[in-house]
Amino acid sequence: MFKKTAVFILILGICITSAKADIKWLKDLDTALYKAKKQNKLILIYIYSPHCGYCKKMDRTTFKDKEIQEILKKYFIPVKVDKDSPEGEMIKAEYGYLGTPTFHFLEPDGKKIKSIFGAWEKEDFLLILKYFAEGYYKKMSMTEYFMNEN
Amino acid sequence: MNRRNFLKVAGIATSVITVSPVLLKEQNSAKAQQQKRSYQEALKEITGGSPVKSSDKVKLIAPAIAENGAVVPVKITVNHPMEKDNYVKAIHILAKDNFEPRTLSAYLTPANGKAFISTRIRLAKTMDVVAIAELSDGTFLKAEKPVKVTIGGCG
């Protein structure tokens, strides 16, 4: 009996931890703008398609990474929209669309900083997120930021 | 349309129909001949098999992460004299895993004053970019740098 209870508690603990660690994607921009202004955070919009293998890969790998989740939680208000949903159509019309996945990085007031296309490995996406989170985007272009000598 | 015109048009149409499959076949075979070249093959084409030495004289500046693989900025400087009998004859750029790794060859003379090029190249995926300096004495120096691009996306 004690053994069963211990296993149950362990499983429950794992479930709570993983639920806690997952990224809390918002589904609409208005809520994101409200929260971003209030918390003075950047907005990351992730436009995906349920048919896009690269989006699924990012969901399975990059967005499951703890470091990615932490930096998103600390510096960004994340929004995830289906490219064909009404919200997705509105965001595409407002900020543009490069294919799936498209990532739009916005200032807290909704002004677009930059759009990036494609799926990224977690190490690379982390560096991209740091470029925005640490405010380097105010000083130099992303290309300049990543340009370095062999 | 009179009979003469009809025969002319019919003749032309018949010729086009007869010749088209031949042309298409030739085009297809031309496409089939395009084959991926290895980095080693491309390198040998440049050096003729001569050894290539890694050197800090060759400075290759490229982004560690390129936001768009279709236009990756690359700058190369070779710290070497540009004198009449001792100069950098050419700077070559190779993208190791591209379908055609030999990306660019810029030929220089002492009149250039400085061995420097700046360009944009296309990378099909994450790979190493190699800059090779061909010196007037026939020796080759190189620098290498990995450049990461998106793993892919859907249109």
Side-chain angles (χ1 to χ4, degrees):
Chain A
M1 182 65 189
F2 173 75
K3 205 175 172 184
K4 275 185 182 174
T5 313
V7 170
F8 175 74
I9 290 168
L10 185 70
I11 292 169
L12 190 70
I14 291 167
C15 290
I16 290 168
T17 313
S18 55
K20 218 177 173 183
D22 268 352
I23 300 160
K24 289 186 174 62
W25 296 104
L26 296 178
K27 288 176 181 174
D28 71 292
L29 186 59
D30 286 343
T31 312
L33 282 166
Y34 173 76
K35 284 193 169 187
K37 273 182 203 165
K38 207 174 162 186
Q39 297 173 31
N40 194 29
K41 287 182 178 178
L42 300 175
I43 297 171
L44 167 66
I45 304 175
Y46 167 25
I47 304 177
Y48 78 102
S49 162
H51 312 292
C52 169
Y54 291 104
C55 302
K56 287 177 190 168
K57 190 176 179 183
M58 270 200 97
D59 291 338
R60 271 198 322 267
T61 57
T62 307
F63 289 126
K64 290 286 177 200
D65 181 72
K66 211 175 172 188
E67 268 189 285
I68 296 278
Q69 290 173 347
E70 274 169 15
I71 197 169
L72 281 177
K73 193 178 173 187
K74 197 170 176 188
Y75 297 100
F76 296 89
I77 301 292
V79 184
K80 186 177 177 182
V81 290
D82 183 332
K83 76 178 179 79
D84 295 321
S85 67
E87 191 69 15
E89 294 290 355
M90 187 275 286
I91 285 170
K92 277 159 43 180
E94 182 71 26
Y95 295 109
Y97 173 66
L98 305 167
T100 51
T102 290
F103 297 100
H104 294 307
F105 291 87
L106 313 181
E107 296 265 21
D109 63 359
K111 191 182 161 200
K112 186 166 98 170
I113 304 166
K114 190 166 189 59
S115 304
I116 292 170
F117 169 69
W120 297 85
E121 303 281 5
K122 62 183 178 187
E123 297 83 7
D124 305 338
F125 200 64
L126 193 65
L127 293 173
I128 292 171
L129 289 178
K130 279 182 180 171
Y131 164 72
F132 293 99
E134 291 171 5
Y136 285 102
Y137 70 91
K138 292 175 189 167
K139 299 173 199 163
M140 62 185 91
S141 73
M142 200 173 132
T143 301
E144 284 169 339
Y145 176 74
F146 285 115
M147 279 291 244
N148 52 28
E149 213 172 273
N150 54 299
Chain B
M1 184 185 282
N2 60 29
R3 193 176 64 167
R4 184 166 294 175
N5 283 341
F6 172 76
L7 287 172
K8 269 186 197 169
V9 172
I12 291 165
T14 310
S15 311
V16 169
I17 290 164
T18 315
V19 171
S20 295
V22 177
L23 289 176
L24 282 173
K25 197 180 170 187
E26 278 176 6
Q27 277 180 347
N28 286 339
S29 65
K31 274 181 191 167
Q33 281 168 9
Q34 290 179 352
Q35 280 183 344
K36 188 182 185 306
R37 273 214 304 174
S38 71
Y39 166 68
Q40 291 305 332
E41 281 175 291
L43 185 65
K44 200 175 175 187
E45 186 184 77
I46 293 166
T47 62
S50 300
V52 184
K53 205 174 122 189
S54 290
S55 168
D56 57 8
K57 279 184 171 183
V58 184
K59 305 283 180 204
L60 167 61
I61 301 169
I65 295 176
E67 56 181 287
N68 183 356
V71 279
V72 180
V74 176
K75 291 177 186 176
I76 297 157
T77 308
V78 187
N79 293 323
H80 189 82
M82 291 296 273
E83 295 157 357
K84 195 185 168 194
D85 299 318
N86 182 24
Y87 63 97
V88 179
K89 205 172 156 189
I91 297 172
H92 307 276
I93 301 176
L94 289 100
K96 271 189 170 177
D97 295 327
N98 266 4
F99 191 82
E100 171 52 68
R102 189 171 181 178
T103 306
L104 179 141
S105 290
Y107 293 92
L108 310 170
T109 70
N112 287 100
K114 193 178 177 186
F116 168 78
I117 60 166
S118 176
T119 186
R120 287 170 188 266
I121 63 169
R122 181 185 166 276
L123 297 179
K125 56 180 179 177
T126 294
M127 67 178 81
D128 289 341
V129 174
V130 185
I132 294 174
E134 183 178 348
L135 306 184
S136 54
D137 63 1
T139 57
F140 294 89
L141 306 175
K142 73 167 180 176
E144 225 171 295
K145 189 180 190 313
V147 178
K148 292 178 171 184
V149 298
T150 171
I151 52 175
C154 304

